Amino acid sequence: MDEGRPIFQQIAERVENDILSGALVEEGQVPSTNEFAMFYRINPATAGKGVNLLVEQGILYKRRGIGMFVATGARERITARRRELFVLEYVAPMLAEAASLGIEPDQLGQLITDQLTAGRLSEKETR
Amino acid sequence: MNSQNPVIQVDGLSRTYRDVPALTDVTFSLQPGIICGLLGRNGAGKTTLMRMLTGQEFPSAGSTRVFGENPVENSRVLQKMCFVSEGQRYPDGYQARHVLAGAPWFFADWDAAFADDLVEKFRLPLRRDVRKLSRGQQSALGVILGLASRAPVTIFDEPYLGLDAVARHTFYDTLLADYAERPRTILLSTHLIDEVSNLLEHVLVLDEGRLLLDQSAESLRGSASAVAGRAGDVDSFAEGRQVLHRDTLGGLATVTISGRLSAADHRAAAAAGLEIAPVSFQQLIVDLTTPSSPRTAAASVVYE
């Protein structure tokens, strides 16, 4: 767990990551609150708070007496929200760092293109 | 939020030994069914408070109520409580099996099968004089008593002296698993804040006999941030905020700021070239209970 951030948010993010990666599928069952608590060694109330956060956002839903399931469309909803955050969490800090290093916007664009090309080349090599 | 009656209610509690105050005007209440950490430095008054909760010590002023009643010589209350104290003494010739065999007399909810299980887990020798057990084995005996008592109020005072890392994690895992199945009130005093902080739902911090913090663990986590950068930029960012601590190095400064930072704060800091790092749970407690530094004075203003 990352210090300094509420654990319930981190639990919610990990469940979201598992949904994005396909480890948890839509309409599939997710572990119980107590199982999350034991696995991550956290207080069950905290784990419950993380799960409830996802229920409020419509990512998970409860089937009474059975357990918690991933909602249909959860993956799309998570992706949409993460894309909005991408600008704040990745693009903005990158622009700030670029500015402090004196990298001009068009140079930055070129760097990204180069990086993508290099990535594709090395991908081909490993195949 | 929680409308249940508190399981523990402490009002204006003070205890003075001769002229030395051990606890001063401590007031708090605990809702049932939570794991609460009692944190503080040595001599902060943790053990005194725990002894008063279990009726082993009389208050000099104020009152203690457990299940709504005074715990002193009150068997109705005491049989629902288990106090695992550091360095518990036993009569000569007493072996661990004698301690476990006697436990059902003291604890109404004692689970002997669970105790047997734990004896295996902690590899506790049953037929050896308790006084001849190692420090870690004596601690294991205490932990077994505390867990298998299944007492509605279970109090652990530094339960793991001499326990190695494996045994401590066995303790945490077993506590968590059993608590998840049978929620009960657990009060745990500890110095190993980093190890237990994720298990806690609530935190009480004592400092020099006074209650410094009484809040949920989640609200404490991430409630302070360290901001670093050029001193001028750091100071203008910190202006109007509660600063718990400030360090400088040449033209650079780091300040610990109390209060959660918003996304806008983060953007403003990034734009000013400042770095923001979280302050760990343990570091925050250390900052708050370090004497004769400006941060203590500032902190008590914030949290009182």
Side-chain angles (χ1 to χ4, degrees), chain B residues 244-245 256 279 282-291 293 295-296 299:
Chain B
L244 300 181
H245 183 58
T256 304
V279 174
Q282 174 153 304
Q283 188 57 47
L284 185 57
I285 305 286
V286 168
D287 274 357
L288 293 174
T289 55
T290 302
S293 83
R295 56 190 111 160
T296 312

Side-chain angles (χ1 to χ4, degrees), chain B residues 25-90:
Chain B
D25 197 19
V26 170
T27 298
F28 69 90
S29 61
L30 277 190
Q31 295 300 324
I34 66 167
I35 304 180
C36 175
L38 180 57
L39 312 177
R41 308 188 60 198
N42 289 331
K46 303 188 295 289
T47 301
T48 303
L49 175 59
M50 291 176 153
R51 288 177 58 81
M52 289 207 278
L53 291 175
T54 48
Q56 299 175 42
E57 195 94 51
F58 296 96
S60 306
S63 71
T64 305
R65 288 280 177 278
V66 182
F67 302 108
E69 298 183 45
N70 186 344
V72 176
E73 292 183 10
N74 185 335
S75 63
R76 255 195 323 273
V77 170
L78 294 177
Q79 68 174 351
K80 289 192 278 184
M81 299 183 85
C82 178
F83 179 35
V84 178
S85 63
E86 184 195 334
Q88 177 72 47
R89 310 237 192 295
Y90 293 100

Side-chain angles (χ1 to χ4, degrees), chain A residues 1-10 33-47 49 85 87-88 92-93 96-97 100, chain B residues 34-35 169-170 172-173 176-181 194 197-202 218 221-224 260 263 267 270-271 278-282:
Chain A
M1 291 289 143
D2 154 17
E3 287 284 350
R5 279 199 313 140
I7 297 179
F8 73 93
Q9 279 178 6
Q10 299 183 50
T33 297
N34 284 347
E35 285 168 334
F36 276 126
M38 242 82 86
F39 185 77
Y40 291 116
R41 287 200 170 118
I42 58 172
N43 190 290
T46 312
K49 215 173 152 188
L85 286 176
V87 176
L88 288 179
E97 179 72 3
S100 77
Chain B
I34 66 167
I35 304 180
H169 279 102
T170 302
Y172 303 143
D173 288 351
L176 208 51
D178 202 55
Y179 167 81
E181 269 179 45
D194 274 342
S197 67
N198 290 356
L199 306 185
L200 306 177
E201 184 172 348
H202 198 85
E218 280 293 326
R221 189 181 307 280
S223 68
R260 248 166 245 288
R267 278 198 295 279
V279 174
S280 81
F281 204 99
Q282 174 153 304

Side-chain angles (χ1 to χ4, degrees), chain B residues 39-41 193 203-208 210-215 219-221 223-224 242-245 256-259 279-304:
Chain B
L39 312 177
R41 308 188 60 198
I193 300 171
V203 179
L204 298 169
V205 179
L206 284 175
D207 191 39
E208 295 185 322
R210 290 175 186 276
L211 190 62
L212 188 65
L213 287 186
D214 171 10
Q215 66 182 84
S219 69
L220 192 56
R221 189 181 307 280
S223 68
Q242 195 71 48
V243 173
L244 300 181
H245 183 58
T256 304
I257 289 176
S258 170
V279 174
S280 81
F281 204 99
Q282 174 153 304
Q283 188 57 47
L284 185 57
I285 305 286
V286 168
D287 274 357
L288 293 174
T289 55
T290 302
S292 68
S293 83
R295 56 190 111 160
T296 312
S300 47
V301 172
V302 184
Y303 289 105
E304 258 169 22

